[in-house]
Amino acid sequence: MNDRRNQTTACVEENLDAFRISRSRFEQAAAYVSGLKRGLIDYFIAPRRSIDLCFPVQMDDDSVRTLHGYRVLHNSVLGPGKGGIRYHPHVTQHEVSALAALMTWKCALVDVPFGGAKGGVACDTKTLSQGEQRRITRRFISELGDNLGPYTDIPAPDMYTSRQTMAWVYDTFEMLHPGRNNRPVVTGKPVDLGGCHGRDEATGRGCFYVTEQILEQGVVNGLSTIDGARVAIQGFGEVGSVIARLFSEAGAKIIAIGDSQGAVLADDGLDLESVTAHKHETGTVVGTPETLTLTNDDLLAVDCDVLVPAALGNQISGANAERIGAKLVVEAANGPVTPKADETLCRQDVLVVPDILANAGGVVVSYFEWAQNIANEQWGLEQVNQCLKHKMNSTVAHTLERWARLKHEGVGAGKKVTSTMAAPDLRTAALVVAIERLARVTLQRGIWP
Ligand code: NAD
């Protein structure tokens, strides 16, 4: 365990509002983009469209529950909106707006022809039957009506939604628009329904390719390969479990894994089959035989080479960043590292691979699915993984190259950078690549009319 954990950590007040964080990071990066007019900055901050719904659902016990759902289309200059639907009790319009903006920058960074969108329903799937989840999904999608569409706004899975949820999304849309090819309206579908081979694994696999490439480029002090690296992972769901398997297959030692109930540690490396079986049987990794139990906070402080937060946002903040024991933090989740934590980690020489790069594999393979659906064809798994690897590697190369130039260029004339970081970090570089692409295309299209 990291011996910095016993240091007194000052209780740092930090505003963790997701939309405020997203906006400040954008403004921070925009300062490095030369010639970006204030009007365009304002346009890139505000969501293009924001839908706030309230709808009733019949429960299994015949009661009726009123739920709140949201869909935000942040920007559609590069193409139709793209973004997941999340079912979580704490979903708010503010959070969905911030995640939609993140999707805009993610799609622009990896250069897929999509804008950014996101949706969510405030509900707890752990307390809902399959039938209740199906009725919630159908009602939510029918309420959204023609705001969704294969060429306007295309949902996908996110936290606590699955292939099954996407099948219901497709079916609902199809019922409302019969007689045409509706498959491209949603991605992350079951393979038999036009889903893409490898989509379930894509976010974790993309994260693996990005980490592999970053390490090969020699930008992490004292770590140049996944083989032999000691890795800790927070989250053992769709993303975290794939990361654990792929990193382990590449020779890494997975020493700690956490989920919503706590975490487990084995200094010589966890037996992933045993962790998976225990999670399957009991619903949690905690209690896996021959492991030590940790709190989630202690998991983040484990002394390791690579820490992969793959659960929720705001997990590494100003309050606990000093305790991080890793050399490299890879943001598999959306927004797990806060701005104050970015500053602390930068000071501690810990490299953070930002979410818009680290977890972009999911949207890249969603793009492959959409393209296959439009062409009415299906690629094999090998083709999907090869194309994904190529896309992730070229995005890493482009981002590292822009990062190197950025360190010499400094900020645009007359602009101010608010962060106390000495130099632009990798997150800023990734955002700069994305903002430059979106600004270029916006101006090429011309401001309408
Ligand atoms: P998931 O629902 O399959 O898994 C979530 C995991 O997080 C579970 O293991 C859960 O136990 C754990 N968790 C929940 N609350 C926790 C807490 N308080 N502390 C520690 N662990 C907790 O979700 P997922 O699809 O694996 O997504 C994980 C993250 O990755 C999310 O932030 C999501 O937005 C992001 N993401 C997912 C995809 C995708 O394709 N699935 C794509 C991009 C980004």
Side-chain angles (χ1 to χ4, degrees):
M1 186 106 43
N2 175 22
D3 50 15
R4 270 176 286 184
R5 75 183 191 275
N6 291 326
Q7 291 175 359
T8 331
T9 312
C11 183
V12 187
E13 284 290 324
E14 189 174 8
N15 184 340
L16 297 180
D17 179 84
F19 193 72
R20 203 199 59 82
I21 290 176
S22 144
R23 181 184 172 141
S24 75
R25 280 183 169 148
F26 166 78
E27 296 222 21
Q28 168 87 19
Y32 288 93
V33 179
S34 61
L36 190 61
K37 291 187 176 140
R38 183 69 233 178
L40 270 192
I41 292 179
D42 293 340
Y43 174 55
F44 290 164
I45 288 171
R48 175 174 174 178
R49 182 180 71 203
S50 187
I51 301 168
D52 179 345
L53 295 167
C54 178
F55 56 88
V57 176
Q58 181 113 30
M59 309 306 283
D60 289 347
D61 65 3
D62 232 23
S63 64
V64 174
R65 196 181 289 173
T66 297
L67 296 174
H68 292 269
Y70 313 96
R71 184 76 189 172
V72 174
L73 174 63
H74 175 258
N75 189 287
S76 56
V77 166
L78 297 178
K82 188 85 196 76
I85 294 176
R86 170 177 290 205
Y87 289 171
H88 192 275
H90 300 144
V91 164
T92 61
Q93 187 160 29
H94 232 48
E95 181 195 52
V96 171
S97 294
L99 291 167
L102 202 69
M103 285 304 296
T104 296
W105 306 123
K106 200 180 292 183
C107 293
L109 174 67
V110 293
D111 196 14
V112 291
F114 290 137
K118 202 79 177 186
V121 177
C123 64
D124 183 359
T125 53
K126 288 179 183 163
T127 64
L128 296 166
S129 70
Q130 281 285 98
E132 288 167 339
Q133 291 184 46
R134 178 166 46 81
R135 291 195 290 280
I136 289 170
T137 305
R138 288 198 187 286
R139 182 70 193 236
F140 178 52
I141 297 305
S142 57
E143 291 273 345
L144 287 173
D146 283 338
N147 289 299
L148 300 181
Y151 298 100
T152 48
D153 186 355
I154 306 154
D158 195 79
M159 281 190 87
Y160 299 107
T161 56
S162 61
R163 266 182 301 182
Q164 176 58 75
T165 325
M166 299 308 113
W168 295 326
V169 170
Y170 166 75
D171 189 64
T172 308
F173 192 85
E174 165 80 3
M175 287 296 142
L176 298 172
H177 304 87
R180 63 187 209 197
N181 174 17
N182 286 312
R183 287 187 168 191
V185 74
V186 57
T187 60
K189 302 181 291 295
V191 169
D192 288 339
L193 202 56
C196 184
H197 288 289
R199 173 61 184 86
D200 285 355
E201 282 200 7
T203 304
R205 185 170 282 279
C207 197
F208 169 77
Y209 291 144
V210 166
T211 309
E212 196 180 36
Q213 189 70 7
I214 293 259
L215 291 180
E216 265 178 30
Q217 297 308 312
V219 287
V220 182
N221 286 337
L223 190 66
S224 58
T225 162
I226 289 179
D227 190 7
R230 290 162 61 79
V231 179
I233 303 169
Q234 185 198 44
F236 200 54
E238 181 161 318
V239 178
S241 61
V242 171
I243 290 171
R245 179 168 55 78
L246 295 178
F247 275 59
S248 164
E249 284 169 8
K253 208 179 256 189
I254 312 298
I255 58 165
I257 291 178
D259 63 22
S260 58
Q261 320 272 313
V264 286
L265 172 80
D267 215 39
D268 290 336
L270 292 160
D271 174 353
L272 289 183
E273 274 184 26
S274 165
V275 178
T276 307
H278 190 78
K279 171 105 184 163
H280 199 68
E281 271 165 38
T282 65
T284 175
V285 297
V286 178
T288 302
E290 294 173 48
T291 63
L292 291 174
T293 302
L294 300 179
T295 62
N296 250 306
D297 233 29
D298 282 339
L299 165 94
L300 297 172
V302 158
D303 194 9
C304 60
D305 296 308
V306 184
L307 172 64
V308 186
L312 304 173
N314 295 339
Q315 296 297 296
I316 305 172
S317 67
N320 63 356
E322 277 186 8
R323 297 179 70 212
I324 300 304
K327 298 181 176 80
L328 175 68
V329 174
V330 183
E331 290 191 316
N334 285 318
V337 179
T338 70
K340 279 236 183 310
D342 269 340
E343 289 174 15
T344 306
L345 294 174
C346 183
R347 266 200 315 276
Q348 290 176 185
D349 208 16
V350 179
L351 182 69
V352 177
V353 184
D355 44 14
I356 60 169
L357 177 59
N359 70 29
V363 78
V364 167
V365 174
S366 273
Y367 163 61
F368 297 160
E369 181 173 332
W370 182 75
Q372 289 166 71
N373 289 162
I374 287 172
N376 261 315
E377 59 178 45
Q378 199 155 44
W379 304 355
L381 180 61
E382 206 173 313
Q383 182 181 357
V384 172
N385 288 343
Q386 257 177 20
C387 292
L388 173 64
K389 184 169 185 171
H390 180 261
K391 193 69 158 165
M392 300 318 291
N393 285 356
S394 61
T395 305
V396 170
H398 191 178
T399 309
L400 289 180
E401 183 268 328
R402 190 69 190 90
W403 191 27
R405 275 195 291 131
L406 213 54
K407 288 178 195 169
H408 294 291
E409 282 170 9
V411 295
K415 293 189 178 166
K416 240 181 29 199
V417 171
T418 48
S419 161
T420 58
M421 267 188 286
D425 59 358
L426 188 56
R427 186 190 308 283
T428 304
L431 273 169
V432 166
V433 172
I435 296 167
E436 286 176 341
R437 180 165 287 134
L438 188 62
R440 198 166 55 243
V441 175
T442 305
L443 296 176
Q444 279 165 353
R445 286 180 60 161
I447 306 294
W448 179 265

